[in-house]
């Protein structure tokens, strides 16, 4: 059976103190419940040390919440002012790094070749990339969503060796559903997730069966169970709703 994962992408939200409160509340909820899903939080870089210490301090044979980052540099080190390397994230005990979020592609000009560099650095540093793909509204209106998502996978993930691909998590985030309140229907999500698995299988064969594929885009407590009930939807990458411990926990409990 594939891993079930619910990851929170806080984006550029919360002060460190607010982040601490959020994680404190979440730890209390998650520790007392038997959740089927692995829980990940991806706060801003500035919060990683503090939040990382909090989630590790509660270790009692099980770490209830794992730490992820939202991005990393495409270079290993050097004169790149303002950047944060994969090695630095590893040194903060990050286990996951989101790569290629549509906001990074849209506002920071990230493209296939730069994303591949980041992906490799994340994997070389022993962390798991959460690689994001997704079409824009215009693409879907033009019925090009499969072509666009297929190309996003091929241009980056097809360059990986099988042993590296094994470590990847994919997140399907239709851009028209991000922060808009407009969610993909569970059928739309399932169709695209099955397509993504097929594209991965065309190159990597059976390995595709073990790759978790998360859905992201206005996922909330009211629609998470329906989305997660689909066989190819292995969890969620949650934006807005991950900023409320209660909502995020209800999503985690939707499995
Ligand atoms: P929302 O859940 O706010 O739509 O954001 C989704 C997302 O972009 C997660 O990475």
């Amino acid at each position: 059976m594939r891993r079930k994962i619910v990851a929170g992408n806080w984006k550029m939200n919360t002060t460190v103190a607010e982040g601490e409160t959020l994680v404190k509340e979440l730890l209390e909820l998650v520790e007392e419940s038997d959740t089927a899903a692995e829980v990940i939080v991806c706060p801003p870089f500035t919060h990683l040390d503090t939040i990382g210490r909090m989630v590790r301090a509660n270790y009692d044979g099980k770490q209830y919440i794992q730490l992820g980052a939202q991005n990393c540099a495409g270079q290993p080190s050097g004169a790149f002012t303002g950047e944060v390397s994969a090695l630095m994230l590893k040194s903060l005990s990050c286990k996951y790094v989101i790569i290629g979020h549509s906001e990074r592609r849209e506002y920071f000009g990230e493209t296939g070749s730069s994303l591949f560099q980041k992906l490799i650095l994340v994997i070389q540093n022993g962390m798991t990339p959460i690689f994001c793909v997704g079409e824009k509204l215009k693409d879907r209106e033009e019925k090009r969503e499969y072509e666009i998502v297929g190309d996003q996978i091929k241009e980056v993930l097809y360059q990986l060796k099988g042993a590296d691909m094994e470590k990847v998590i994919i997140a399907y985030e239709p851009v028209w559903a991000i922060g808009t309140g407009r969610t993909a229907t569970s059928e739309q999500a399932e169709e695209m997730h099955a397509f993504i698995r097929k594209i991965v299988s065309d190159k990597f064969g059976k390995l595709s069966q073990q790759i978790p594929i998360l859905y992201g885009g206005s996922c909330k407590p009211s629609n998470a169970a329906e989305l997660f009930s689909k066989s190819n939807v292995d969890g969620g990458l949650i934006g807005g709703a991950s900023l409320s411990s209660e909502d995020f926990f209800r999503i985690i409990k939707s499995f």
Side-chain angles (χ1 to χ4, degrees), residues 159-174:
Q159 317 309 317
L160 292 175
K161 297 196 184 75
D164 288 338
M165 183 61 207
E166 237 173 52
K167 313 210 167 93
V168 174
I169 295 173
I170 297 174
Y172 169 57
E173 300 204 309

Side-chain angles (χ1 to χ4, degrees), residues 62-196:
K62 179 179 173 190
Q63 188 173 320
Y64 293 88
I65 299 178
Q66 301 291 337
L67 191 64
Q70 298 173 18
N71 180 31
C72 75
Q75 301 83 7
S77 66
F80 300 101
T81 302
E83 289 291 274
V84 174
S85 74
L87 179 62
M88 294 170 189
L89 297 176
K90 180 187 176 187
S91 73
L92 288 167
S93 303
C94 273
K95 295 278 188 294
Y96 298 88
V97 185
I98 298 173
I99 297 291
H101 191 281
S102 64
E103 288 149 17
R104 301 289 321 165
R105 293 177 190 257
E106 176 78 11
Y107 307 134
F108 302 95
E110 297 198 351
T111 58
S113 57
S114 63
L115 295 177
F116 178 70
Q117 294 305 324
K118 293 180 180 209
L119 206 70
I120 286 289
L121 287 164
V122 169
I123 294 171
Q124 282 174 351
N125 280 285
M127 297 179 290
T128 297
I130 302 177
F131 180 67
C132 301
V133 295
E135 81 286 358
K136 296 181 184 166
L137 181 59
K138 188 164 172 290
D139 303 326
R140 189 163 275 267
E141 283 170 352
E142 292 171 357
K143 302 200 186 322
R144 293 180 63 218
E145 66 270 31
Y146 291 101
E147 177 196 334
I148 298 288
V149 170
D151 286 350
Q152 287 172 339
I153 303 255
K154 286 180 197 162
E155 68 176 339
V156 179
L157 299 184
Y158 271 26
Q159 317 309 317
L160 292 175
K161 297 196 184 75
D164 288 338
M165 183 61 207
E166 237 173 52
K167 313 210 167 93
V168 174
I169 295 173
I170 297 174
Y172 169 57
E173 300 204 309
V175 177
W176 47 270
I178 296 177
T180 58
R182 184 176 164 194
T183 321
T185 63
S186 56
E187 289 75 23
Q188 284 172 324
E190 171 62 16
E191 258 175 6
M192 185 57 89
H193 284 221
F195 170 78
I196 291 171

Side-chain angles (χ1 to χ4, degrees), residues 183-186 189 215 218-220 223-230 233:
T183 321
T185 63
S186 56
Y215 169 80
S218 298
C219 185
K220 42 191 180 242
N223 58 27
E226 170 65 23
L227 285 159
F228 297 171
S229 71
K230 298 295 179 188
V233 179

